Amino acid sequence: MTQFATASVECPHCRELAPQRVVQQPGHDALLWCELCFRVTIAHRNLSLPIDPLALSPALSVDVAELDADHERLIDILNDVHAAAKAGRRDDLKALTGHLLDELMLHLEREEALLRAWTFPGLDEHQDQHGAMHDRMHALVQELLAGTRDVADIGRSMKFCLVGHLADDLKYKDFLGERRGRNGVLGWVV
């Protein structure tokens, strides 16, 4: 379950004293969301990115073209879902959310296969985080389609869920960088 806390602190991005929401999801770094500039900062990392629309920061690149392309695609789809929800285009939501969940599953499977092939030592924990993320995203999609909660709030929760995943992926980026350094090239063996 996602937990929220609110405090007025200086935003690391806009440098204004503004209401900040601390978003804490189990197993993820805390996210700090500025209600003034609508940017999210990932705790313990010097990263900040816009949330509405969500945009991928180069600092969140994992330096694997296929996975970075997956992340971009997921962000684009999620932005489309959020825009359709805010505009009240309920007819589009079922198709868009189905597409989002399908693309998410493909991405998670591809990422796990690559991490397995590269013998990433944190694979078991990463797979557990993937399962929790998929379950959370599926639950949010169900809430969105049921219309039981404010669509803007659900859209932000979906984005926070994805940003938490992107931050977690940085854990294997360093490992892959070390492998590239030793071998000169990182093989794509699946």
Side-chain angles (χ1 to χ4, degrees):
M1 168 154 255
T2 303
Q3 297 177 3
F4 296 95
T6 304
S8 286
V9 295
E10 182 180 304
C11 172
H13 178 71
C14 68
R15 302 288 183 217
E16 297 291 329
L17 186 63
Q20 305 285 309
R21 243 188 229 192
V22 178
V23 182
Q24 183 65 60
Q25 300 176 91
H28 295 287
D29 287 339
L31 305 175
L32 185 67
W33 176 53
C34 178
E35 295 183 11
L36 187 64
C37 71
F38 297 99
R39 292 183 70 87
V40 170
T41 302
I42 301 168
H44 312 297
R45 302 181 192 282
N46 192 19
L47 299 174
S48 177
L49 58 153
I51 196 75
D52 195 10
L54 183 60
L56 187 62
S57 164
L60 285 172
S61 168
V62 294
D63 294 334
V64 178
E66 293 82 354
L67 298 180
D68 284 337
D70 284 355
H71 292 157
E72 284 283 355
R73 191 170 34 262
L74 287 167
I75 286 172
D76 289 345
I77 297 166
L78 188 50
N79 282 331
D80 290 345
V81 167
H82 196 193
K86 287 191 327 187
R89 297 190 331 258
R90 303 225 22 99
D91 294 343
D92 294 341
L93 278 180
K94 187 167 178 89
L96 284 169
T97 55
H99 184 52
L100 174 67
L101 292 176
D102 290 346
E103 287 293 322
L104 179 61
M105 279 305 299
L106 290 172
H107 165 66
L108 297 177
E109 290 169 359
R110 179 181 358 262
E111 187 174 273
E112 289 174 12
L114 291 174
L115 294 177
R116 192 174 305 105
W118 294 326
T119 61
F120 175 59
L123 178 60
D124 290 341
E125 180 184 354
H126 207 71
Q127 285 176 309
D128 290 345
Q129 290 171 340
H130 281 177
M133 181 222 190
H134 182 269
D135 292 349
R136 177 71 178 136
M137 194 67 81
H138 188 267
L140 289 167
V141 163
Q142 295 307 312
E143 281 187 73
L144 185 63
L145 294 175
T148 58
R149 219 170 85 203
D150 177 62
V151 297
D153 187 42
I154 294 171
R156 280 190 300 271
S157 293
M158 293 172 86
K159 290 176 181 183
F160 294 144
C161 186
L162 184 58
V163 169
H165 167 71
L166 297 174
D168 286 339
D169 285 355
L170 295 178
K171 293 173 186 172
Y172 69 74
K173 178 182 180 177
D174 292 338
F175 170 77
L176 297 179
E178 290 173 14
R179 296 241 1 234
R180 281 188 185 104
R182 278 196 310 264
N183 302 334
V185 85
L186 184 60
W188 180 272
V189 183
V190 180

